[in-house]
Amino acid sequence: MISAVQSISQLQVDSVNVVRRAHYMPLFARLGAYDIEALDTILATPGSPLTEYWAHEASVVSAELVPDLLLWQRRTWIDKSDRFTDEQQELSHRVIEYLAANPGSSAREISSALDVAPVASKEHWGWNWNDTKYVTESLFARAKILTLGRNSQFERRYALAHHVLKKPLEIDELHRNAALERLVARSLEAQGIATAHCVAEYFRLPIRDVKALLAQQAAAGVVEQVQVPEVNEPAYLPLGTKIPRKIEPDLRLISPFDSMVFNRKRLERFFNFEYRIEIYVPEPKRRYGYYVFPMLFGDEFVGRVDLKADRSRSVLHAKSVHFEDGWESQAQQPLLAELERMAQWLRLDSVQVGL
């Protein structure tokens, strides 16, 4: 399980729970049925090789990447510490003191313990943060605090960074270039083949720096530069990449927040597959559905299925299925088999296809 995460470096975290929380799904696509509780235990254990931090978005990441990501992440919309009032600065110190004695606390628990008032207005649909939430998110963005997993309400369980990592978090601006080299290497290894844009987008790295580094590495023989048909810019491979002559058809359902589908432009260029998340699209304007999983069959994307885990009926509901031209006859049975496997993993009794 750990090696599977480290091979792709991140599992994006998202609160949508239509099928299962987003960070659980990519491992099912790669490993099949696995023990979700085991992943939760890993994330809740100090010194774990996995933790949560900002990568493409908020993600489960290889813990060793946190210092490198901290050097290159620029999430100014989250870290508001440079605009903190004196009271918020003082609260930051109190939060750190509290977490030193109470690791694994949520922002809600910290607020209660430190008697921080809730937000006065709750007019915003999703960002009704009080001072504790602003402080903890800013401390998290700067990796002063990290997490010991999440609780049953899907709230981060904060702890001091050195408690989570079991060692001091060492950040050295002098090693900034080395950090970029490591992140570029992990991005390229996770994707297998990628343009400079693909490499940069994976961890939200600055494209200019990534493009310059890849050009240097290609010239030095550190990575292999190749040309992909119909892609009008260079692509790169990790040195020594072995390309299989044949990939056995094995249908997997890729969740909307899987790193395989982070980069829509890459999907269109490399796989000739157009994909958009339609969660925020008004229902009458959706083409394929609310929570749509692309179907990866061998090395081709062959369709989409709009999924919902209807827990009240214990049913995995494939509300709609759309195959790419020419694929329905080949992929229909493998899709049904994969839906049955997923239902069993989710502990649902049956599968329903269609309305």
Side-chain angles (χ1 to χ4, degrees):
M1 182 190 304
I2 292 172
S3 62
V5 179
Q6 290 178 330
S7 71
I8 57 176
S9 291
Q10 59 182 311
L11 307 172
Q12 186 173 334
V13 176
D14 189 87
S15 61
V16 176
N17 198 22
V18 175
V19 176
R20 204 65 164 89
R21 300 286 189 194
H23 65 291
Y24 295 125
M25 298 306 303
L27 287 178
F28 176 77
R30 289 157 179 80
L31 303 176
Y34 75 96
D35 185 357
I36 284 175
E37 287 76 17
L39 178 59
D40 290 339
T41 299
I42 291 169
L43 294 173
T45 303
S48 164
L50 306 177
T51 191
E52 185 179 338
Y53 194 58
W54 288 102
H56 184 78
E57 295 293 342
S59 302
V60 171
V61 300
S62 298
E64 64 187 358
L65 292 182
V66 171
D68 297 341
L69 290 165
L70 177 57
L71 282 170
W72 285 95
Q73 293 290 301
R74 291 295 179 265
R75 310 252 176 188
T76 55
W77 64 275
I78 293 175
D79 181 9
K80 300 183 182 300
S81 55
D82 60 340
R83 287 166 279 168
F84 275 0
T85 63
D86 290 343
E87 290 80 6
Q88 289 170 325
Q89 292 287 4
E90 194 267 339
L91 179 58
S92 296
H93 298 305
R94 293 173 64 202
V95 167
I96 288 175
E97 290 175 359
Y98 181 81
L99 288 176
N102 301 276
S105 299
S106 68
R108 181 170 47 85
E109 291 167 334
I110 296 169
S111 285
S112 178
L114 300 183
D115 196 24
V116 179
V119 66
S121 171
K122 295 187 177 182
E123 294 178 356
H124 193 285
W125 68 270
W127 296 97
N128 297 307
W129 290 2
N130 72 349
D131 279 351
T132 305
K133 185 63 174 173
Y134 279 112
V135 164
T136 52
E137 288 296 326
S138 294
L139 289 171
F140 180 73
R142 288 180 284 142
K144 300 294 184 184
I145 63 176
L146 294 172
T147 69
L148 293 172
R150 291 184 176 236
N151 62 21
S152 58
Q153 288 78 46
F154 202 59
E155 299 167 316
R156 286 181 176 137
R157 301 176 60 245
Y158 293 108
L160 301 184
H162 68 80
H163 181 100
V164 174
L165 300 176
K166 298 298 285 185
K167 62 181 180 180
L169 181 63
E170 298 178 355
I171 304 297
D172 187 346
E173 287 284 346
L174 295 176
H175 295 109
R176 186 174 171 80
N177 289 338
L180 182 63
E181 289 174 0
R182 287 189 290 268
L183 291 172
V184 165
R186 292 292 286 267
S187 173
L188 193 55
E189 289 165 5
Q191 297 177 83
I193 182 170
T195 65
H197 174 270
C198 300
V199 172
E201 180 69 7
Y202 200 74
F203 289 123
R204 306 288 199 193
L205 302 172
I207 182 62
R208 183 179 299 179
D209 297 88
V210 169
K211 188 174 289 188
L213 177 58
L214 285 170
Q216 294 170 9
Q217 291 183 332
V222 176
V223 299
E224 183 180 357
Q225 181 175 320
V226 296
Q227 197 65 45
V228 177
E230 300 183 17
V231 176
N232 59 1
E233 61 180 295
Y236 300 90
L237 292 169
L239 205 62
T241 297
K242 295 181 179 180
I243 302 174
R245 294 181 179 179
K246 183 179 180 181
I247 296 178
E248 293 297 328
D250 182 14
L251 194 141
R252 303 297 174 98
L253 294 173
I254 309 299
S255 70
F257 296 101
D258 194 299
S259 60
M260 182 71 180
V261 296
F262 277 169
N263 193 325
R264 314 294 187 245
K265 187 181 294 184
R266 182 174 185 265
L267 282 180
E268 293 177 22
R269 286 176 161 183
F270 286 81
F271 296 93
N272 193 30
F273 186 74
E274 182 184 335
Y275 178 64
R276 300 290 183 273
I277 293 179
E278 298 183 89
I279 290 175
Y280 304 110
V281 176
E283 185 171 2
K285 295 183 178 181
R286 291 178 195 144
R287 295 178 63 191
Y288 298 109
Y290 179 75
Y291 206 61
V292 175
F293 284 57
M295 304 178 211
L296 181 63
F297 192 39
D299 59 353
E300 295 195 54
F301 284 93
V302 301
R304 304 161 178 81
V305 55
D306 183 19
L307 283 182
K308 176 181 173 61
D310 188 338
R311 297 173 182 88
S312 65
R313 298 190 298 133
S314 194
V315 169
L316 179 61
H317 187 186
K319 299 166 71 174
S320 66
V321 177
H322 301 270
F323 291 99
E324 298 288 276
D325 290 343
W327 280 104
E328 182 171 1
S329 61
Q330 296 180 59
Q332 189 171 44
Q333 284 305 123
L335 169 62
L336 294 175
E338 184 67 358
L339 289 171
E340 291 287 350
R341 284 192 291 268
M342 184 180 289
Q344 291 175 16
W345 174 64
L346 294 171
R347 300 173 184 173
L348 301 173
D349 292 336
S350 62
V351 171
Q352 176 185 343
V353 178
L355 299 177

